Amino acid sequence: MFLKNISISQFKSHNSTKIELEQGVNCVTGKNGAGKTNVLDAIYCLLNGKSYFQITDSLCILLGESYFLLKGAVQNEKELTQLMVSFQTGKRKSIKINDESVTKLADYFGRYPCVVIAPDDVEIINGESEQRRRFFDYMLSVVDSDYLKHLSAYNKVLESRNKTLKVFLENDNFDAILLDFYDTKLELHGSYLFNVRQQSTAIFETYFNEAYSEIATSTEVPVFKFISKLHESDFKEGFSKTQSKDRILGRTSFGTHRDDWSFELNTMPLKKTGSQGQIKSFLIALKLAMYNFIYEKRNVKPLLLLDDIFEKIDSSRMQQLVQIISKPKMGQVIITDTNKERVEEYFKGRREVIFFEIG
C-alpha cells in the first residue's frame, strides 16, 4: 500500500497544495514555518479520518475559512482507491471511499495505517499515562477492529459513569443500582481491552528489542512493563474497593483507563534518569516496533511519516535510522526536512529520494 497523491485544501496553513508521491522515500522540504508538518498531518488525516496533532477538527481549518478538504489515491497490488475527508464548521465530518460515504469513523480509522515519528512524541515517554495508552490503543485498534469497538464503548460508558458520580456528589444522593449497571458495562468492555493489552505487550516487546538493538549503539538493556490494577483485583473487587473514593472525587478511579506502561533502561526509570539521546533511541525503537507489529499482524506496510526527525537526533542515530529505512522490507516513507542536501547525503547510494519543496 502506498499513497500516490494528495490534494490539500484549506487545511491548517495550506490553501491549495497538491503533491505526487512515489512508492519509496519522499521528502518534503522547506524553511521552518513553511507548512511541512501540516503536509504530514494532512496525509495522516486523509488516511485515518482525524488529525495526528489536533483533537478538534475545527482547529485544522485554515484561518478565515469554514472547511477543509483532503483528497488522495491509495494504490495496492490490486487496485487504486480514491479517498476523501472533509469537515465544515457546524456539520459532521464527511469521509468517502471511491465516492461511497463512510458513516462511522471507527469503520475507517486504521484501515490505511500510518506510523508517525515527530519531535513531540517524546511525551509518550516523558508525559502522562494517557500518552502511552494512546500509543498502544492506536496500534492495537489497527490490528484488531474489535479492540477499537470495545475501546469506544468503554469510553462512552466511563463518561456516563463519571457524569453520574458528579451528579451524586452535587446533589448528595446515591443510586447503587445505576452505578452497578455502569460497572457491569465497564467490566464487559474493559476485560477485553485488558486481555489484549496484556497479551500484545509480550509480543510487542520482541519487536521493540529488535528495533532498539538496531538504533542504539550501546549495550544498555531496555525494559517496558504493562501496569494495571487488574493484575491485583478483578473489576467487581476493584469497583467495590474504590466506590467510596469515587463518590468523594466524583470520578472513576479503577479500570483500564488507568492502565500504563513503564519504560526503563538498566532497571532505572527512563523518564527520570535517561539522557536525551537515550530517550530518542527508545522512542524511535517504539515507533519502529509499532511499524513491524502492524505489518506482521495485518500484512500491510504502514506509511512511515518522519517529521523533522533528522534535525532532532545525532549523526550516529541518524545513520542507523537511514539504514533501517533503506531496507527492502520498508514501504513508503515521507520525510520533512529543512535541508535537502543533508537528506540526499544520508541516502546516497542506499535509496533514491523524491523531493517536493513547499513555501
Side-chain angles (χ1 to χ4, degrees), residues 111-186:
R111 185 180 294 197
Y112 308 100
C114 302
V115 174
V116 180
I117 306 180
D120 288 347
D121 287 337
V122 294
E123 289 303 303
I124 295 171
I125 295 169
N126 295 333
E128 301 300 321
S129 59
E130 180 183 359
Q131 302 290 337
R132 290 178 284 282
R133 284 195 301 273
R134 186 178 298 144
F135 171 86
F136 283 98
D137 283 343
Y138 174 79
M139 180 180 72
L140 297 175
S141 296
V142 168
V143 302
D144 182 354
S145 59
D146 286 336
Y147 183 91
L148 180 58
K149 292 175 183 177
H150 281 285
L151 179 64
S152 177
Y154 181 94
N155 288 334
K156 288 179 180 178
V157 177
L158 178 65
E159 183 180 5
S160 297
R161 189 181 194 270
N162 285 340
K163 286 181 179 178
T164 299
L165 285 168
K166 288 181 180 179
V167 171
F168 290 162
L169 183 62
E170 292 168 357
N171 298 327
D172 195 24
N173 62 8
F174 182 67
D175 185 338
I177 296 176
L178 178 58
L179 206 63
D180 184 62
F181 169 79
Y182 290 133
D183 293 352
T184 301
K185 293 289 187 181
L186 288 177

Coordinates of all heavy atoms in Angstrom, one line a residue, residues 111-186:
R111 N -7.7 1.8 8.7 CA -7.8 0.9 7.5 C -6.5 1.1 6.7 O -6.0 0.2 6.0 CB -9.0 1.3 6.7 CG -9.2 0.4 5.5 CD -10.5 0.8 4.7 NE -11.7 0.6 5.5 CZ -12.9 0.5 4.9 NH1 -13.0 0.7 3.6 NH2 -14.0 0.3 5.6
Y112 N -6.0 2.3 6.7 CA -4.7 2.7 6.0 C -3.7 3.1 7.0 O -3.6 4.3 7.3 CB -5.0 3.7 4.9 CG -6.2 3.4 4.0 CD1 -7.4 4.0 4.2 CD2 -6.0 2.5 3.0 CE1 -8.5 3.6 3.4 CE2 -7.1 2.1 2.1 CZ -8.3 2.7 2.4 OH -9.4 2.4 1.5
P113 N -3.0 2.2 7.7 CA -2.2 2.6 8.8 C -1.0 3.4 8.5 O -0.4 3.3 7.5 CB -1.8 1.2 9.4 CG -1.9 0.3 8.2 CD -3.0 0.8 7.4
C114 N -0.7 4.3 9.5 CA 0.5 5.2 9.4 C 1.2 5.1 10.7 O 0.6 4.9 11.8 CB 0.1 6.6 9.3 SG -0.9 7.0 7.8
V115 N 2.5 5.2 10.7 CA 3.4 5.4 11.9 C 4.1 6.7 11.8 O 4.8 6.9 10.8 CB 4.4 4.2 12.0 CG1 5.3 4.5 13.2 CG2 3.6 2.9 12.2
V116 N 3.9 7.5 12.7 CA 4.4 8.9 12.8 C 5.5 9.0 13.8 O 5.4 8.5 14.9 CB 3.4 10.0 13.1 CG1 4.0 11.4 13.1 CG2 2.2 9.9 12.1
I117 N 6.7 9.6 13.4 CA 7.7 9.9 14.4 C 7.9 11.4 14.3 O 8.4 11.9 13.3 CB 9.0 9.2 14.1 CG1 8.8 7.7 14.0 CG2 10.0 9.5 15.2 CD1 10.1 6.9 13.7
A118 N 7.5 12.1 15.4 CA 7.6 13.6 15.4 C 8.2 14.0 16.7 O 8.2 13.2 17.7 CB 6.1 14.1 15.4
P119 N 8.8 15.2 16.8 CA 9.5 15.6 18.0 C 8.7 15.6 19.2 O 9.2 15.2 20.3 CB 9.9 17.1 17.6 CG 10.0 17.1 16.1 CD 9.0 16.1 15.6
D120 N 7.4 16.0 19.2 CA 6.6 16.0 20.4 C 6.3 14.6 20.9 O 5.7 14.4 22.0 CB 5.3 16.8 20.2 CG 5.6 18.3 20.1 OD1 6.7 18.7 20.4 OD2 4.7 19.0 19.6
D121 N 6.6 13.5 20.1 CA 6.3 12.2 20.6 C 7.1 11.8 21.8 O 6.8 10.7 22.4 CB 6.6 11.2 19.4 CG 5.5 11.3 18.3 OD1 4.4 11.7 18.6 OD2 5.8 10.9 17.2
V122 N 8.1 12.5 22.2 CA 8.8 12.2 23.4 C 7.9 12.2 24.6 O 8.2 11.6 25.7 CB 10.0 13.2 23.7 CG1 11.1 13.1 22.6 CG2 9.5 14.6 23.8
E123 N 6.7 12.8 24.5 CA 5.7 12.8 25.6 C 5.2 11.4 25.8 O 4.6 11.2 26.9 CB 4.6 13.8 25.3 CG 5.0 15.3 25.4 CD 5.6 15.6 26.7 OE1 4.9 15.4 27.7 OE2 6.7 16.1 26.8
I124 N 5.3 10.5 24.9 CA 5.0 9.1 25.1 C 5.8 8.6 26.3 O 5.4 7.8 27.1 CB 5.2 8.3 23.9 CG1 4.3 8.7 22.7 CG2 5.0 6.8 24.1 CD1 4.5 8.1 21.4
I125 N 7.1 9.1 26.4 CA 8.0 8.6 27.4 C 7.9 9.6 28.6 O 7.8 9.2 29.8 CB 9.4 8.5 26.9 CG1 9.5 7.4 25.8 CG2 10.4 8.3 28.0 CD1 10.8 7.4 25.1
N126 N 8.0 10.9 28.4 CA 8.1 11.9 29.5 C 6.7 12.3 30.0 O 6.7 12.9 31.1 CB 8.8 13.1 29.0 CG 10.3 12.8 28.6 OD1 10.9 11.9 29.2 ND2 10.8 13.6 27.7
G127 N 5.6 12.1 29.3 CA 4.3 12.6 29.7 C 3.5 11.7 30.6 O 4.1 10.8 31.2
E128 N 2.2 12.0 30.6 CA 1.3 11.2 31.5 C 0.9 9.9 30.8 O 1.2 9.7 29.7 CB 0.1 12.1 31.8 CG 0.4 13.4 32.5 CD 1.1 13.2 33.8 OE1 0.7 12.3 34.6 OE2 2.0 14.0 34.1
S129 N 0.3 9.1 31.6 CA -0.1 7.7 31.1 C -1.0 7.8 29.9 O -1.0 6.9 29.1 CB -0.8 7.0 32.3 OG -2.0 7.6 32.7
E130 N -1.8 8.9 29.8 CA -2.7 9.0 28.6 C -1.9 8.9 27.3 O -2.4 8.4 26.3 CB -3.5 10.3 28.7 CG -4.4 10.6 27.6 CD -5.1 11.9 27.7 OE1 -4.8 12.7 28.6 OE2 -5.9 12.2 26.8
Q131 N -0.7 9.5 27.3 CA 0.1 9.5 26.1 C 0.5 8.0 25.7 O 0.5 7.7 24.5 CB 1.3 10.3 26.3 CG 1.1 11.8 26.6 CD 0.5 12.6 25.5 OE1 0.6 12.2 24.3 NE2 -0.2 13.7 25.8
R132 N 0.8 7.3 26.7 CA 1.2 5.9 26.4 C 0.0 5.0 26.0 O 0.2 4.2 25.1 CB 2.0 5.3 27.6 CG 3.3 6.0 27.8 CD 4.1 5.5 29.0 NE 3.5 6.0 30.3 CZ 3.8 7.2 30.7 NH1 4.6 8.1 30.0 NH2 3.3 7.7 31.9
R133 N -1.1 5.2 26.6 CA -2.3 4.5 26.3 C -2.7 4.8 24.8 O -3.1 3.9 24.0 CB -3.5 4.8 27.2 CG -3.4 4.1 28.5 CD -4.7 4.2 29.3 NE -5.1 5.5 29.5 CZ -4.8 6.3 30.6 NH1 -3.9 5.8 31.5 NH2 -5.2 7.5 30.7
R134 N -2.6 6.1 24.4 CA -2.9 6.5 23.1 C -2.0 5.8 22.1 O -2.5 5.3 21.0 CB -2.8 8.0 22.9 CG -3.3 8.5 21.6 CD -3.2 10.0 21.5 NE -4.0 10.7 22.5 CZ -3.7 11.7 23.2 NH1 -2.5 12.3 23.0 NH2 -4.5 12.3 24.1
F135 N -0.7 5.6 22.4 CA 0.2 5.0 21.5 C -0.2 3.5 21.3 O -0.3 3.0 20.2 CB 1.6 5.0 22.1 CG 2.6 4.2 21.4 CD1 3.3 4.6 20.3 CD2 2.9 2.9 21.9 CE1 4.3 3.9 19.7 CE2 3.8 2.1 21.2 CZ 4.5 2.6 20.1
F136 N -0.4 2.8 22.4 CA -0.8 1.4 22.3 C -2.2 1.2 21.7 O -2.5 0.2 21.0 CB -0.6 0.7 23.6 CG 0.8 0.4 24.0 CD1 1.5 1.2 24.8 CD2 1.5 -0.7 23.4 CE1 2.9 0.9 25.1 CE2 2.8 -1.0 23.7 CZ 3.5 -0.2 24.6
D137 N -3.1 2.1 22.1 CA -4.5 1.9 21.6 C -4.6 2.1 20.1 O -5.3 1.4 19.4 CB -5.4 3.0 22.3 CG -5.8 2.6 23.7 OD1 -5.6 1.4 24.1 OD2 -6.2 3.5 24.4
Y138 N -3.8 3.0 19.5 CA -3.8 3.2 18.1 C -3.3 1.9 17.4 O -3.9 1.3 16.5 CB -2.9 4.3 17.6 CG -2.8 4.4 16.1 CD1 -3.8 5.0 15.4 CD2 -1.7 3.9 15.5 CE1 -3.7 5.0 14.0 CE2 -1.6 3.9 14.1 CZ -2.6 4.5 13.3 OH -2.5 4.5 12.0
M139 N -2.2 1.4 17.9 CA -1.6 0.2 17.3 C -2.5 -1.0 17.4 O -2.7 -1.8 16.4 CB -0.3 -0.2 18.0 CG 0.5 -1.4 17.5 SD 2.0 -1.7 18.4 CE 1.3 -2.3 20.0
L140 N -3.1 -1.2 18.6 CA -4.0 -2.4 18.8 C -5.3 -2.2 18.0 O -5.9 -3.2 17.6 CB -4.2 -2.6 20.3 CG -3.0 -2.9 21.1 CD1 -3.3 -3.0 22.6 CD2 -2.4 -4.2 20.6
S141 N -5.8 -1.0 17.8 CA -7.0 -0.7 17.1 C -6.8 -1.0 15.6 O -7.7 -1.5 14.9 CB -7.5 0.7 17.2 OG -7.8 1.0 18.6
V142 N -5.6 -0.8 15.1 CA -5.3 -1.0 13.7 C -5.3 -2.5 13.4 O -5.7 -2.9 12.3 CB -3.9 -0.4 13.3 CG1 -3.4 -0.9 12.0 CG2 -4.0 1.1 13.3
V143 N -4.8 -3.3 14.3 CA -4.7 -4.8 14.0 C -5.9 -5.6 14.5 O -6.1 -6.7 14.2 CB -3.4 -5.4 14.7 CG1 -2.2 -4.6 14.1 CG2 -3.4 -5.3 16.2
D144 N -6.8 -4.9 15.3 CA -7.9 -5.6 15.9 C -9.1 -4.7 15.9 O -9.2 -3.8 16.8 CB -7.6 -6.1 17.3 CG -8.7 -6.9 18.0 OD1 -9.8 -7.0 17.4 OD2 -8.5 -7.4 19.1
S145 N -10.1 -4.8 15.0 CA -11.2 -3.9 14.9 C -12.1 -4.1 16.1 O -12.8 -3.1 16.5 CB -12.0 -4.2 13.6 OG -12.5 -5.6 13.6
D146 N -12.2 -5.3 16.7 CA -13.0 -5.5 17.9 C -12.4 -4.6 19.1 O -13.1 -4.2 20.0 CB -13.0 -6.9 18.3 CG -13.9 -7.7 17.4 OD1 -14.8 -7.1 16.8 OD2 -13.7 -8.9 17.3
Y147 N -11.1 -4.5 19.1 CA -10.4 -3.7 20.2 C -10.9 -2.3 20.1 O -11.3 -1.7 21.1 CB -8.9 -3.7 20.0 CG -8.2 -3.0 21.1 CD1 -7.8 -3.6 22.3 CD2 -7.9 -1.6 21.0 CE1 -7.1 -3.0 23.3 CE2 -7.2 -0.9 22.0 CZ -6.8 -1.6 23.1 OH -6.2 -0.9 24.1
L148 N -11.0 -1.7 18.9 CA -11.5 -0.3 18.7 C -12.9 -0.2 19.2 O -13.3 0.8 19.8 CB -11.3 0.1 17.3 CG -11.8 1.5 17.0 CD1 -11.0 2.6 17.8 CD2 -11.5 1.8 15.5
K149 N -13.7 -1.2 18.9 CA -15.2 -1.1 19.3 C -15.3 -1.2 20.8 O -16.1 -0.4 21.4 CB -15.9 -2.3 18.6 CG -16.0 -2.2 17.1 CD -16.7 -3.5 16.5 CE -16.7 -3.4 15.0 NZ -17.3 -4.7 14.4
H150 N -14.5 -2.1 21.4 CA -14.6 -2.1 22.9 C -14.0 -0.9 23.5 O -14.6 -0.4 24.5 CB -13.8 -3.4 23.4 CG -14.6 -4.7 23.2 ND1 -15.6 -5.0 24.1 CD2 -14.5 -5.7 22.3 CE1 -16.1 -6.2 23.7 NE2 -15.4 -6.6 22.7
L151 N -13.0 -0.3 22.9 CA -12.4 0.9 23.5 C -13.4 2.1 23.4 O -13.6 2.8 24.4 CB -11.1 1.2 22.7 CG -10.4 2.5 23.1 CD1 -9.9 2.4 24.5 CD2 -9.2 2.8 22.1
S152 N -14.1 2.2 22.3 CA -15.0 3.3 22.1 C -16.2 3.1 23.1 O -16.7 4.1 23.7 CB -15.5 3.3 20.6 OG -16.5 4.3 20.4
A153 N -16.7 1.9 23.2 CA -17.8 1.6 24.1 C -17.4 1.8 25.5 O -18.2 2.4 26.3 CB -18.3 0.2 23.9
Y154 N -16.2 1.4 25.9 CA -15.7 1.6 27.3 C -15.7 3.1 27.6 O -16.1 3.5 28.7 CB -14.4 1.0 27.4 CG -13.8 1.1 28.8 CD1 -13.9 0.1 29.8 CD2 -13.0 2.3 29.2 CE1 -13.4 0.2 31.0 CE2 -12.5 2.4 30.5 CZ -12.7 1.4 31.4 OH -12.2 1.5 32.7
N155 N -15.2 3.9 26.7 CA -15.0 5.3 27.0 C -16.4 6.0 27.1 O -16.5 7.0 27.9 CB -14.2 6.0 25.9 CG -12.7 5.6 25.9 OD1 -12.2 5.3 27.0 ND2 -12.0 5.7 24.8
K156 N -17.4 5.6 26.3 CA -18.7 6.2 26.4 C -19.3 5.8 27.8 O -20.0 6.7 28.4 CB -19.6 5.7 25.3 CG -19.2 6.2 23.9 CD -20.1 5.7 22.8 CE -19.7 6.2 21.5 NZ -20.5 5.7 20.3
V157 N -19.2 4.6 28.2 CA -19.8 4.2 29.5 C -19.0 4.9 30.6 O -19.7 5.4 31.6 CB -19.7 2.6 29.7 CG1 -20.2 2.3 31.1 CG2 -20.4 1.9 28.6
L158 N -17.7 5.0 30.5 CA -16.9 5.7 31.5 C -17.4 7.2 31.6 O -17.5 7.7 32.8 CB -15.4 5.7 31.1 CG -14.5 6.4 32.1 CD1 -14.5 5.7 33.5 CD2 -13.0 6.4 31.5
E159 N -17.6 7.8 30.5 CA -18.1 9.2 30.5 C -19.4 9.3 31.3 O -19.6 10.2 32.1 CB -18.2 9.7 29.1 CG -18.6 11.2 29.0 CD -18.8 11.7 27.6 OE1 -18.6 10.9 26.7 OE2 -19.0 12.9 27.4
S160 N -20.3 8.4 31.0 CA -21.6 8.4 31.6 C -21.5 8.1 33.1 O -22.2 8.8 34.0 CB -22.6 7.3 31.0 OG -22.8 7.6 29.6
R161 N -20.6 7.2 33.5 CA -20.4 6.9 34.9 C -19.9 8.1 35.7 O -20.3 8.4 36.8 CB -19.5 5.7 35.1 CG -19.4 5.2 36.5 CD -18.4 4.0 36.6 NE -18.6 3.3 37.9 CZ -17.9 3.5 39.0 NH1 -17.0 4.5 39.0 NH2 -18.0 2.8 40.0
N162 N -18.9 8.8 35.1 CA -18.3 10.0 35.7 C -19.4 11.1 35.9 O -19.4 11.8 36.9 CB -17.1 10.4 34.9 CG -15.9 9.5 35.1 OD1 -15.8 8.8 36.1 ND2 -15.0 9.6 34.2
K163 N -20.2 11.3 34.8 CA -21.2 12.3 34.9 C -22.2 12.0 36.1 O -22.7 12.9 36.8 CB -22.0 12.4 33.6 CG -21.2 13.1 32.5 CD -22.0 13.2 31.2 CE -21.2 13.9 30.1 NZ -22.0 14.0 28.9
T164 N -22.5 10.7 36.2 CA -23.5 10.3 37.2 C -22.9 10.5 38.6 O -23.5 10.9 39.5 CB -23.8 8.8 37.0 OG1 -24.5 8.6 35.8 CG2 -24.7 8.3 38.1
L165 N -21.6 10.2 38.8 CA -20.9 10.4 40.0 C -20.9 11.8 40.4 O -21.0 12.2 41.6 CB -19.5 9.8 40.0 CG -19.3 8.3 40.0 CD1 -17.9 7.9 39.6 CD2 -19.7 7.8 41.4
K166 N -20.7 12.7 39.4 CA -20.7 14.2 39.7 C -22.1 14.6 40.2 O -22.2 15.5 41.1 CB -20.3 14.9 38.5 CG -18.8 14.8 38.2 CD -18.4 15.6 36.9 CE -16.9 15.4 36.7 NZ -16.5 16.2 35.4
V167 N -23.1 14.1 39.6 CA -24.5 14.4 40.0 C -24.7 13.9 41.4 O -25.3 14.6 42.2 CB -25.5 13.8 39.0 CG1 -26.9 13.9 39.6 CG2 -25.4 14.4 37.6
F168 N -24.3 12.7 41.7 CA -24.4 12.2 43.1 C -23.7 13.1 44.1 O -24.3 13.5 45.1 CB -23.8 10.8 43.2 CG -24.5 9.7 42.5 CD1 -23.8 8.5 42.2 CD2 -25.8 9.8 42.1 CE1 -24.5 7.5 41.6 CE2 -26.5 8.8 41.5 CZ -25.8 7.6 41.2
L169 N -22.5 13.6 43.7 CA -21.8 14.5 44.6 C -22.4 15.8 44.8 O -22.5 16.3 45.9 CB -20.3 14.6 44.0 CG -19.4 15.5 44.8 CD1 -19.1 14.8 46.2 CD2 -18.0 15.6 44.0
E170 N -22.9 16.4 43.7 CA -23.6 17.7 43.8 C -24.9 17.7 44.5 O -25.2 18.7 45.2 CB -23.8 18.3 42.3 CG -22.4 18.6 41.6 CD -22.6 18.8 40.1 OE1 -23.8 18.7 39.7 OE2 -21.7 19.2 39.4
N171 N -25.6 16.6 44.4 CA -27.0 16.5 44.9 C -27.0 15.7 46.3 O -28.1 15.5 46.9 CB -28.0 15.9 44.0 CG -28.1 16.7 42.7 OD1 -28.0 17.9 42.7 ND2 -28.4 16.0 41.6
D172 N -25.8 15.2 46.6 CA -25.7 14.5 47.9 C -26.7 13.3 47.9 O -27.4 13.1 48.9 CB -25.9 15.4 49.1 CG -25.5 14.7 50.4 OD1 -24.6 13.8 50.3 OD2 -26.0 15.1 51.5
N173 N -26.7 12.5 46.9 CA -27.5 11.3 46.8 C -26.7 10.2 46.2 O -25.6 10.4 45.7 CB -28.9 11.5 46.1 CG -28.7 11.9 44.6 OD1 -27.6 11.9 44.1 ND2 -29.8 12.3 44.0
F174 N -27.3 9.0 46.1 CA -26.6 7.8 45.6 C -27.6 6.8 45.1 O -28.6 6.5 45.8 CB -25.7 7.3 46.6 CG -24.8 6.1 46.1 CD1 -23.9 6.3 45.2 CD2 -25.0 4.8 46.7 CE1 -23.1 5.2 44.7 CE2 -24.3 3.7 46.2 CZ -23.3 3.9 45.2
D175 N -27.3 6.2 43.9 CA -28.1 5.1 43.4 C -27.2 3.9 43.1 O -26.5 3.9 42.0 CB -28.8 5.6 42.1 CG -29.8 4.6 41.6 OD1 -29.6 3.4 41.9 OD2 -30.7 5.0 40.8
A176 N -27.1 2.9 44.0 CA -26.2 1.8 43.8 C -26.6 1.0 42.6 O -25.7 0.4 41.9 CB -26.2 1.0 45.1
I177 N -27.8 0.8 42.3 CA -28.3 0.0 41.1 C -27.8 0.6 39.8 O -27.3 -0.1 38.9 CB -29.8 -0.1 41.1 CG1 -30.3 -0.9 42.4 CG2 -30.3 -0.8 39.9 CD1 -31.8 -1.0 42.5
L178 N -27.9 2.0 39.7 CA -27.5 2.6 38.5 C -25.9 2.5 38.3 O -25.5 2.2 37.2 CB -27.8 4.1 38.5 CG -27.4 5.0 37.3 CD1 -27.9 4.4 36.0 CD2 -27.8 6.4 37.5
L179 N -25.2 2.7 39.4 CA -23.8 2.5 39.3 C -23.3 1.1 39.0 O -22.4 0.9 38.2 CB -23.1 2.9 40.7 CG -21.7 3.5 40.6 CD1 -21.6 4.7 39.8 CD2 -21.1 3.7 42.0
D180 N -24.1 0.1 39.5 CA -23.8 -1.3 39.2 C -24.0 -1.6 37.7 O -23.3 -2.4 37.1 CB -24.7 -2.2 40.1 CG -24.3 -3.7 39.8 OD1 -23.2 -4.0 40.1 OD2 -25.2 -4.4 39.4
F181 N -25.0 -0.9 37.1 CA -25.3 -1.0 35.7 C -24.1 -0.6 34.9 O -23.6 -1.3 34.0 CB -26.5 -0.2 35.3 CG -26.7 -0.1 33.8 CD1 -27.3 -1.1 33.1 CD2 -26.3 1.1 33.2 CE1 -27.5 -1.0 31.7 CE2 -26.5 1.2 31.8 CZ -27.1 0.2 31.1
Y182 N -23.5 0.6 35.2 CA -22.3 1.1 34.6 C -21.1 0.2 34.8 O -20.3 -0.1 33.9 CB -22.0 2.5 35.0 CG -23.0 3.5 34.5 CD1 -23.5 4.5 35.4 CD2 -23.4 3.6 33.2 CE1 -24.4 5.4 35.0 CE2 -24.3 4.6 32.8 CZ -24.8 5.5 33.7 OH -25.7 6.4 33.3
D183 N -21.0 -0.3 36.0 CA -19.8 -1.2 36.4 C -19.9 -2.5 35.5 O -18.8 -3.0 35.1 CB -19.9 -1.6 37.8 CG -19.6 -0.4 38.7 OD1 -19.3 0.7 38.2 OD2 -19.8 -0.5 40.0
T184 N -21.0 -3.0 35.3 CA -21.2 -4.3 34.5 C -20.7 -4.0 33.1 O -20.0 -4.8 32.5 CB -22.6 -4.8 34.5 OG1 -23.0 -5.0 35.9 CG2 -22.7 -6.0 33.7
K185 N -21.1 -2.9 32.5 CA -20.7 -2.5 31.2 C -19.2 -2.3 31.1 O -18.6 -2.7 30.1 CB -21.5 -1.2 30.7 CG -23.0 -1.4 30.5 CD -23.3 -2.3 29.3 CE -24.8 -2.3 29.1 NZ -25.1 -3.1 27.9
L186 N -18.6 -1.6 32.0 CA -17.2 -1.3 32.0 C -16.4 -2.6 32.1 O -15.4 -2.8 31.5 CB -16.8 -0.4 33.2 CG -17.2 1.1 33.1 CD1 -16.8 1.8 34.3 CD2 -16.6 1.7 31.8

